[in-house]
Amino acid sequence: LKVLSRIDSILQSPRAPPLIYRCSKGPVQNHIKENGQECGFEHLPLTIEMWADQLMALKDLHRSLRKLSLELVPWHLADPQDNRESIRVEDLQFIVDAILEETENKEKNSQTPSLPTLFAMVSHFQKLFDVNSLTGVYPRMNEVYTKLGEMTNAMRNLHELLELDSSAPPTVVVDTVGKLCDIINENMTEQVQQLLGTRDIHSIINKLEEHECFFPPFQALIQDLLCLLEISNLDDILPTVRNLK
């Protein structure tokens, strides 16, 4: 009787599924009277069998959802209780929510490139930097990154040395360096002209020709004097000659 009363309270509960209390909406058939109370639970065995089949199907559904999750979100850690006997609807809902969340994130992040786009980018990099194989892509990337860093530092230092604005393009830096070289060359030419005492290029040529005619005999004379006087230092020639007088 207590069991029947308990079942009856479940039937009348607002949370009871329609399959349980549907028979109470119409005339009770094949009811059994026990101690003066009516019972209409003949449909419950079929309902319970159906629920048992559904509970068994939950395991298969859970297994399929796990496979789908591994395909779509493989970075999610596996639930350590995946192998437990009882599977709850909450477990299935958790997997579905994780997949939906990842799908929504992908839709929001429309900038994520597709696999063909990534393949095209790698192929373009190989063509630009002459990389024959995929294994050579990463080393060449590192090399390009290192060279880029060196060039960036060099350009930054040139901007500072030449007192240029940091936004000045490389062409401005090259032009400035070229002008600086021209100024240095002009100063060097002027210094050479001052050193030789002339600004006439023909006079410079004449002086060089005179030097070529004069210097070899003079050098031979000095060498003979050093040998004759038995000395090795050019500054000792005059003192040695004075001593001979």
Side-chain angles (χ1 to χ4, degrees), residues 176-201:
T176 305
V177 173
K179 293 178 181 178
L180 184 60
C181 292
D182 293 339
I183 294 173
I184 293 174
N185 292 332
E186 291 176 0
N187 293 337
M188 185 65 67
T189 302
E190 185 176 357
Q191 290 176 7
V192 171
Q193 291 174 349
Q194 291 177 357
L195 178 63
L196 298 176
T198 178
R199 294 181 178 274
D200 187 2
I201 188 64

Side-chain angles (χ1 to χ4, degrees), residues 79-96:
D79 188 352
Q81 298 182 351
D82 280 349
N83 296 325
R84 61 192 174 187
E85 291 296 329
S86 61
I87 302 298
R88 300 174 303 174
V89 176
E90 290 84 352
D91 301 327
L92 307 181
Q93 188 64 47
F94 176 79
I95 298 175
V96 173

Side-chain angles (χ1 to χ4, degrees), residues 6-233:
R6 178 61 177 166
I7 294 176
D8 189 61
S9 63
I10 294 175
L11 291 177
Q12 296 178 3
S13 172
R15 298 178 58 188
L19 287 176
I20 292 181
Y21 66 84
R22 63 177 181 177
C23 292
S24 62
K25 294 181 179 180
V28 179
Q29 298 177 357
N30 301 325
H31 59 276
I32 302 174
K33 291 186 178 181
E34 294 186 4
N35 297 327
Q37 295 193 7
E38 295 182 351
C39 301
F41 307 133
E42 290 78 6
H43 67 289
L44 289 183
L46 296 177
T47 301
I48 294 174
E49 289 178 2
M50 181 191 67
W51 287 354
D53 293 337
Q54 294 297 315
L55 289 175
M56 293 298 296
L58 282 180
K59 292 184 179 181
D60 296 333
L61 178 59
H62 182 265
R63 190 179 303 108
S64 299
L65 286 177
R66 287 299 302 166
K67 291 181 180 179
L68 180 61
S69 177
L70 290 175
E71 289 291 334
L72 298 180
V73 285
W75 50 87
H76 279 229
L77 296 178
D79 188 352
Q81 298 182 351
D82 280 349
N83 296 325
R84 61 192 174 187
E85 291 296 329
S86 61
I87 302 298
R88 300 174 303 174
V89 176
E90 290 84 352
D91 301 327
L92 307 181
Q93 188 64 47
F94 176 79
I95 298 175
V96 173
D97 290 342
I99 296 175
L100 289 176
E101 181 180 359
E102 184 63 26
T103 304
E104 291 174 357
N105 291 337
K106 285 185 178 180
E107 292 177 354
K108 292 178 181 179
N109 188 13
S110 58
Q111 299 300 323
T112 301
S114 61
L115 185 59
T117 302
L118 294 175
F119 180 77
M121 293 170 63
V122 173
S123 299
H124 187 61
F125 180 88
Q126 289 182 267
K127 292 180 181 178
L128 288 178
F129 297 100
D130 193 23
V131 182
N132 296 325
S133 62
L134 291 177
T135 57
V137 170
Y138 280 110
R140 185 58 57 88
M141 280 185 176
N142 294 334
E143 181 182 351
V144 171
Y145 177 79
T146 301
K147 294 295 183 182
L148 178 61
E150 294 176 355
M151 294 299 298
T152 301
N153 292 333
M155 291 299 295
R156 185 185 301 111
N157 293 333
L158 285 174
H159 279 91
E160 294 177 356
L161 291 174
L162 300 175
E163 297 181 354
L164 296 174
D165 188 80
S166 59
S167 60
T171 53
V172 175
V173 176
V174 173
D175 292 340
T176 305
V177 173
K179 293 178 181 178
L180 184 60
C181 292
D182 293 339
I183 294 173
I184 293 174
N185 292 332
E186 291 176 0
N187 293 337
M188 185 65 67
T189 302
E190 185 176 357
Q191 290 176 7
V192 171
Q193 291 174 349
Q194 291 177 357
L195 178 63
L196 298 176
T198 178
R199 294 181 178 274
D200 187 2
I201 188 64
H202 295 290
S203 298
I204 295 174
I205 294 174
N206 292 333
K207 286 183 178 293
L208 291 175
E209 291 177 349
E210 292 175 359
H211 178 269
E212 289 181 355
C213 294
F214 169 78
F215 185 75
F218 176 77
Q219 184 181 20
L221 176 62
I222 294 299
Q223 291 294 334
D224 292 341
L225 284 174
L226 292 175
C227 292
L228 182 62
L229 298 174
E230 296 180 352
I231 58 177
S232 60
N233 193 350

